[in-house]
Amino acid sequence: MTSHELLIGLAGVLFAAAPIVFATIGETFTERSGIINLSVNGTILLSAMASFAVAVNTQSIVLGFLMGMAVGAIVALIVAFSSIALKQSQVAVGFVLTLMTRDLAYFLGNPYMGLQGPRVQNMPIPVLKDIPIIGPLFFNHDPLTYFSFILIGLAWWWMFRTRPGLTLQAIGERPEAAYARGAAVNKLRYLYTALGGALVGLAGPTYSLSVKAGWKGTISGLDGIGWIALALTIFGGWDPVRGAVGAYFFALLQWLGLVLQPYLPNVPSQVLQVAPFPLMILTLLLVNIGNAEWVDRTLAGLPPDLRRFIRRVLRWMQVVPPASLGVPFEEE
Amino acid sequence: MKPRWENLAFATAAVFVALAFTSLVLVTAGASPFEAYWYMLKGSLGSWSKISDVLVAWVPLLLATAGLLITFAAGLWNIGVEGQIVLGGIFTTWVLRLLQDSTLSPAFILILAIAAGALGGALWAALAGVLKVFGGVNEIFGGLGLDFVAVALTLWLIFGPWKRPGIGSMSGTEPFPKELWLPTIPGSRLSLWALFIGLVSIAIVYFLLSGTYFGLKLKAVGKNPRAAYLLGIPTTRYLMMAFVLSGLFAGLAGAVQVTAVYHRLIPAISSGYGWLGLMVSMLINFQPAWAAPVTFFFAALNIGSIQLPIVLKLDSSLSGVLQGALVLSFLLMGGVRQRWLKKHQQEASDD
Amino acid sequence: SSGQATPAPQQESQQQTQQEQATQPPQEETFTFGMLLVGPYNDHGWSQAHYEAGQYVEQKLGAKMLYVDKVNPADRPGTTPEQLAEDLVSKGAKLIIFNSDDMKDAALAFAQAHPDIYVIHASGDNAWKDGKDYKDIPNFSNVMGKMIYGKMIAGCAAAMTTETGQIGYLGPLINDETRRLASSAYLGAKYCWQHYRQKDPADLKFKVTWIGFWFNIPGVTSDPTQVADDFFNSGYDVVLSGIDTTEALVEAKKFADQGKKVYAVPYDFKEACQEAPDVCLGVPYFNWGPLYMKLIQDAKDGKWQSTFIWAPPDWKDINNPDTSAIGFEMGPALSDEASDAVTNFIDELANGLNLWVGPLKLQDGTLYLKDGEAATDQQIWYLPQLLEGMEGQSVPQQ
Amino acid sequence: MEIELRHIHKYFGPVHANDDITLTIPSGSIQGLLGENGAGKSTLMKILSGYLRPDAGEIRINGSPIEMHSPADAIRFGIGMLHQDPMDFPPMRVLDNFMVGYPEGLLLPREEARQALLDLSAQFGFSLDPDAYVESLTVGERQQLEIVRLLWLGAQVLIFDEPTTGISAQQKEKLFAALHRLADEGKTIIFVTHKLEEVEILCDQVAVLRAGKLVGEAKPPYDLDALVEMMFGKVVTKGERVSAPLGKPVLQLKNLAVESHRIRIAGVNLEVREGEVIGLAGMEGSGQRQLLRACAGLIRPVEGEIWVDGHNLTGKPYHDFMRHGVAYVPAARLEEGLVPNLTLLEHMILADEQRGLIIDRQAALDLTKERIKTFNIRGRPHSTIESLSGGNQQRALLALLRPGLRLLLMEHPTRGLDMESAIWVWQTLKRRCREEKTAIFFMSSDLEEILHYSDRILVFFSGQVSEPIPATETDIEQLGQLIGGRGFNTPEEATP
Ligand SMILES: Nc1ncnc2c1ncn2[C@@H]1O[C@H](COP(=O)(O)OP(=O)(O)OP(=O)(O)O)[C@@H](O)[C@H]1O
Ligand SMILES: Nc1ncnc2c1ncn2[C@@H]1O[C@H](COP(=O)(O)OP(=O)(O)OP(=O)(O)O)[C@@H](O)[C@H]1O
Ligand SMILES: [Mg+2]
Ligand SMILES: [Mg+2]
């Protein structure tokens, strides 16, 4: 494989990862505010279908995207509402929604199977695209991919560098304290759930109007993406940048899975395709094992230096979820 | 006061909401809701053969649900159940392949194979359990990952080592000889043996969770593991047992799929019964007593929905929409109900 | 037609008795047949081709079609094709079409369980007396179009168009059928490359990438979109699709919009080109209508015989909807000289040009056909590997 | 600012937490608020700080009624509250904590905030590292952080809800000095407590709550007995110190060392004998919890040995300790001690040892009823544990303990209980010591409790452990000094 092909291939990875980046960052926002939206997988399918349908009927890509984001936001708000107002389990509601929206997409999307819809066009950035390496890698994409790049930085900046971002961390960490300091906890939770949902919804049209243009019902090949995004949110330790890195890693593995096919004749193709999932489990294991009680017990038996060393390593890997993730908060 | 009629009222309201929503969806698709429901009913309970088909689908769903009720009792979201069903199917197939040419009696081979299926599911669940209990990996994502791995494993086996002579095909592995099928009622696909396994399993689970120390301790561990530990309950052991038992029933579901439904290993051997089982468990608010009827209803919806494409040219994923709508509206109505009760207590205490 | 195996005499007697019980209904009542489609009836691919053939029979014959689509365990959990077929029978179907290799066992089991119902299994070989697993079931027939010709023509169109001399083949999963079709495409491409473009076969790159299934399943198959992109990115300027979905075409369009000169050839369905006309070189498609027409007519008239039909195109006019089992619809993107060449190639085939003659070696170098030896239908049908000169895997990994 | 609370009512389900409270707090003064547990002090203050909304009544600032719907409003009116348990964000850094809730601006005013933090802490002699993590701070430091934060926000009315629980003697002095300064600057201070001596040295006037009602106000010089009577409706006395005769050793700690990523305790040698009560004194997080847990096998020691009844149980898990008659009673009842959603009955079944596979409900029911009577728990066998009052939850917790225990390890056995309940709890505990020869090993942040009920006392200071001090040979002052670290300067001194 020539270096040029490699470059193009990697650019393709960045392109293919864009929707996963959207979904992951969206979920990161939602969960940072203390709400788990488990409906991601179905939401992406429904928003992909709905936005494609709208785009086909109106021939307007923009309307399509708006539709997709609206769908995402609405589904997410159902989760938020049933948790905040009705005190129902977020996991339960989210899980039902993920299955229901999926079937809804298949049912309502039937008439749009295999139709030809509009597609987002590539938009190379004039001068920049000619820079060696950087150019083809980052500046020869469609607007969505650019937005995915921007979003990563934007999300990180918002969460860790702005005052509202600090409040966001606070309401997810300890809502009662945030409330005592004047934060409108539940209003904000609605807001960020909707925002996160909209970003998840954005992933739909990014597929159906760009990355995997078209709607093919059960064979669209989108089922499963949402779960990956959810896992990446944890893997990223609720940090948009780490989450995005995870998304790129996943897309990269997928790509390697096929470019390596000829070179690894004895490796079943399924192995490379499914590799991200064991890897996901492994990473979750690494970032969580530090919290396990038996580890402490075992460590206590070890000689002091080794013990302290391992402790330090474990604490370094550890990711700690927002303390009130999934816990509803009742304002007086 | 009178919670009896209250519950009834809210339940009916929930059903009504769900039907209303689904009808709306149907109308959007330009179909007559009434017709759709009618044909689904006819297609599921309209004749004995239809009912027997529903029962065929009912058994594995019931088994998966039975297992899930145990993990739910322990406060665990065993989303790995899909993979556990698959592994049950794989292990069963494996044993059948090993022994089908042997001189052992078919009955004996079948028993071994089904036992192996249970074992397979239990092992796969144990894996998720170890990750959760000793690795702190949230069972939802551990299980989910293992689900994907299980599917990949199936495809690999079907297109690789276990592929049919010449062709690896989506139709799965070479079907097993008839004598290795669970005997069915003549003229139907329904196996009384499978039915028996299903009913016994749910009975066992009901008994375990309602009457025994094991069930109560499991509940305690589920609701507050740290307190349970201080009360002297071996928490980790109980969590692991929950996983293993749950996986065991899921594995049985897989075994039934292979020995009584498809008679071979197919790529989609789980038929999504794991997901459906999770839905049912939520719908019945994790009470074993309701598992049998509600799973039957869901199976009926699945079978009945086949009429939609045949008669009305509608996509049968509608059944999934209806099932989802039901569970969702029951959850939401549950919330509404609690608010309502709270408000009434408030008024009661004020005056 | 050539591929048809005529039933042996000693068989006919029992088949007669068969038809006694099978065709009682008075003629005037409209004949109802059922069809089980593995995919969505509107998938713009394999299943839709069957579905429209059914409609064709409906209006030509005044027969009535009942169908169920998405007949696969993933989409219809807890149901088996037998069960669905019985449902159709209970609604009056006298003949059932199973349209996928995946329903092979179901079709056989059903046929054996219902001797009074005619069964057609598309793409199977159990009714083939000279086949590897022949089953003697009077009410069971196989049909298949000789897509090998369609693929040869597609390959030719690719070879006439490619500028880089690199042709990609987007393969589904590896089995006899898919090997057979990919290889046919290669043979067609090689022939036109060599004889019409006067180039050395050694300079023709023909690479097959298997995604692992008929369509994309995230985390399970390779992503056809990525595969197509990868082809186009690494210098392959024509991609032939062997899968159910149209990623090759869609992606070709994307690259074309970016100013690249790339093309694609979809598969299965006559109108497939419409999804992206300006990059479509044409589509080799199945035309099941005439085949079903014949068998259903026979069944209706009580002339049914268990047969294996592997029908070649009608060489007089391969796109004749009433006579040709497979066809090749030229695409808008096919240049004039290229289309002339393709037409020419078709004529040569019509006049008996056979590309399945030796010397041909298998991918691992073992001899497949001696010099001048013509392959038998069996040799072609059960092709054990890809042919020498093709890149890509021949057998699924163990 | 002058604050007026007029006819405030607040209900929690059945509980009338605030019952028609009317109170005027002049500006520039320190107002004390006195009352037993559950009297309604926090509730009233939470209402004043907008955290809770009153069911009836109004709040006036400088004579004009104000509308308050949330803490945000209160902050706007310049009212800030230091909650009973610090309302901060342990995993965040001090500086971030400081900035959470800062009203305006899109960007974080990092530098400005850092300056303000350092300046303000300097003014009050606090030492707060902006970049430290809050979880690594002592309760006292966390309070200090809250105080400077409130001042930075420009609060004119500062509410302190029991700020002195679990802070050292010096920290307490610092705090009081700070409060005086603030009052002198014209700020209005409200100081919530149930410790009379604090009222005495600090408050310009005091109001007393009982069972949700305002039962009286007083100005210096205070008549303490009168205040006590107002608080409890009668005179309450702890009664005589009683100690059980000591028997043979139950628990032996040999050069024990415990370590967590936060703190390390080393070289603990101790022998606890039958019927003996040992109290662990010290600020929260000084290591007493770690030691207590180690003695139950909940934490594995890194060095040394633990012997129970002559069995070496070092490194064994808690359940092995249980088999040797050890029981552990945690402070966080609903988090660690009891199982929410389960009923009293089910708790009894779980605590009782298992007979066979199937539960004999009737037998269990009888047992539960009997226990409910003996431990006079206000609740029914089928009432869920979380619906019980704190005190009754504590009673339930004691009712779950099996008879014939050898060693009982307790965190804050009477936290959240009013005096009467506390006294009752100790009566039952002491009875165990006498009749069952049980040894008790407990930690508490209430020095009086430790002094009054222990035979010997261990004092902890940031991981260092004092020699056991006979309770009869020491007093509050000395303990206060030790807790504050005086006489703890060198490890040698701590553990010779
Ligand atoms: N969120 C709540 N839900 C139910 N009851 C509550 C709640 N908060 C307080 N109460 C009840 O209101 C009464 C007053 O509680 P409050 O916290 O004001 O007492 P307090 O005077 O602060 O006691 P302490 O000295 O222990 O802090 C108590 O009976 C308490 O149980
Ligand atoms: N989380 C809660 N859920 C339901 N009811 C509660 C809750 N918290 C408190 N209550 C109710 O408020 C009443 C007082 O609770 P609380 O624990 O404050 O009692 P208290 O005033 O502190 O008395 P005690 O001295 O027994 O603790 C209890 O009777 C209880 O029913
Ligand atoms: Mg209390
Ligand atoms: Mg208080």
Side-chain angles (χ1 to χ4, degrees), chain B residues 164-165 167, chain C residues 5 100-101 104 108 121-136 140-144 176 180 307-310 378 381-382:
Chain B
R164 313 174 141 214
I167 320 118
Chain C
S100 163
D101 172 52
K104 179 178 178 173
L108 289 170
H121 179 220
S123 82
D125 61 351
N126 301 84
W128 193 10
K129 297 201 66 185
D130 319 333
K132 275 189 186 166
D133 44 16
Y134 170 66
K135 303 242 178 353
D136 177 2
F140 181 90
S141 290
N142 289 118
V143 290
M144 188 66 176
D176 292 344
R180 183 199 317 150
T307 63
F308 168 81
I309 301 178
W310 191 16
Q378 286 77 3
W381 184 279
Y382 301 110

Side-chain angles (χ1 to χ4, degrees), chain A residues 5 8 15 110 113-114 116 119 121 211-212 216 218-219 221 223 254-255 258-259 261 265 267 269 273-274, chain C residues 40 42 44 75 210 215-216 218-223 225 230 233-234 245-246 250-251 254 257 274-275 397:
Chain A
E5 287 169 27
I8 303 284
F15 170 70
N110 205 33
M113 292 269 302
Q116 188 188 357
R119 180 171 184 168
Q121 293 303 317
V211 176
K212 288 188 196 302
K216 295 255 168 34
T218 45
I219 59 177
D223 198 355
Q254 287 247 308
W255 178 66
L258 84 100
V259 293
Q261 198 184 76
V267 179
S269 57
Q273 287 312 317
V274 86
Chain C
N42 51 0
H44 287 219
D75 286 327
W210 308 101
F215 52 79
N216 180 30
V220 175
T221 66
S222 300
D223 178 347
T225 306
D230 205 56
N233 281 327
S234 44
T245 45
T246 51
V250 174
E251 290 312 294
K254 184 181 90 183
D257 293 340
Q274 287 173 4
E275 200 158 330
Q397 312 89 335

Side-chain angles (χ1 to χ4, degrees), chain D residues 12 14-15 36-39 333-334 378 386-393 395 416-418 421:
Chain D
F12 292 109
V15 193
E36 65 176 311
N37 291 116
R333 299 179 200 105
L334 287 179
R378 271 176 278 126
E386 71 270 20
S387 69
L388 297 182
S389 85
N392 288 303
Q393 286 167 4
R395 285 183 163 87
L417 303 197
D418 56 54
S421 322

Side-chain angles (χ1 to χ4, degrees), chain A residues 307-308 311, chain D residues 257-261 263-265 299-300 302:
Chain A
R307 181 172 69 229
R308 302 212 177 85
R311 278 238 174 82
Chain D
V258 188
E259 188 177 87
S260 75
H261 60 75
I263 195 161
R264 173 186 169 86
I265 323 158
I299 300 179
R300 182 175 169 186
V302 292

Side-chain angles (χ1 to χ4, degrees), chain C residues 188-219:
Chain C
K190 192 173 80 179
Y191 182 84
C192 296
W193 180 258
Q194 197 169 4
H195 294 83
Y196 297 165
R197 294 188 70 177
Q198 266 52 7
K199 289 179 188 266
D200 173 3
D203 303 338
L204 179 66
K205 251 178 141 229
F206 190 101
K207 179 174 165 192
V208 183
T209 303
W210 308 101
I211 65 167
F213 191 42
W214 293 100
F215 52 79
N216 180 30
I217 310 172

Side-chain angles (χ1 to χ4, degrees), chain B residues 181-325:
Chain B
W181 300 10
L182 272 186
T184 59
I185 301 174
S188 91
R189 271 173 294 276
L190 176 60
S191 158
L192 289 178
W193 291 102
L195 206 54
F196 174 76
I197 294 175
L199 291 169
V200 169
S201 302
I202 192 64
I204 291 175
V205 170
Y206 177 84
F207 170 74
L208 268 183
L209 294 184
S210 56
T212 64
Y213 280 96
F214 176 80
L216 182 57
K217 291 185 176 182
L218 209 55
K219 251 203 296 188
V221 172
K223 299 200 183 308
N224 187 348
R226 295 165 71 199
Y229 183 75
L230 285 183
L231 282 167
I233 303 170
T235 324
T236 51
R237 195 188 312 157
Y238 268 73
L239 285 174
M240 284 307 294
M241 277 197 281
F243 271 109
V244 168
L245 277 177
S246 180
L248 191 140
F249 288 113
L252 276 178
V256 168
Q257 287 280 85
V258 170
T259 55
V261 182
Y262 293 110
H263 312 300
R264 61 173 166 280
L265 183 65
I266 59 169
I269 193 66
S270 81
S271 296
Y273 288 138
W275 303 115
L276 213 50
L278 286 158
M279 299 259 272
V280 171
S281 311
M282 287 185 254
L283 180 56
I284 63 180
N285 194 19
F286 317 116
Q287 299 160 334
W290 287 92
V294 175
T295 44
F296 181 86
F297 175 58
F298 271 41
L301 286 178
N302 273 15
I303 299 298
S305 67
I306 293 160
Q307 299 305 313
L308 297 177
I310 300 176
V311 189
L312 300 175
K313 309 262 174 287
L314 289 171
D315 193 283
S316 43
S317 45
L318 182 76
S319 59
V321 176
L322 179 53
Q323 289 159 341

Side-chain angles (χ1 to χ4, degrees), chain A residues 14 29 48 73 84 98-99 112 125 142 147 160 229 245 286 289 330:
Chain A
L14 297 179
F29 269 109
I84 294 169
T98 203
L99 296 186
Y112 297 93
I125 297 185
D142 68 9
F147 179 58
F160 301 116
V245 170
L286 289 177
I289 190 99
E330 192 160 12

Side-chain angles (χ1 to χ4, degrees), chain A residues 163 174 181 297 307 332, chain D residues 10 53 88 97 105-106:
Chain A
R163 194 185 54 78
R174 224 181 137 192
R181 297 181 180 202
R297 290 195 83 82
R307 181 172 69 229
E332 261 293 315
Chain D
K10 182 67 182 174
R53 228 153 300 152
D88 52 15
N97 257 276
L106 170 64

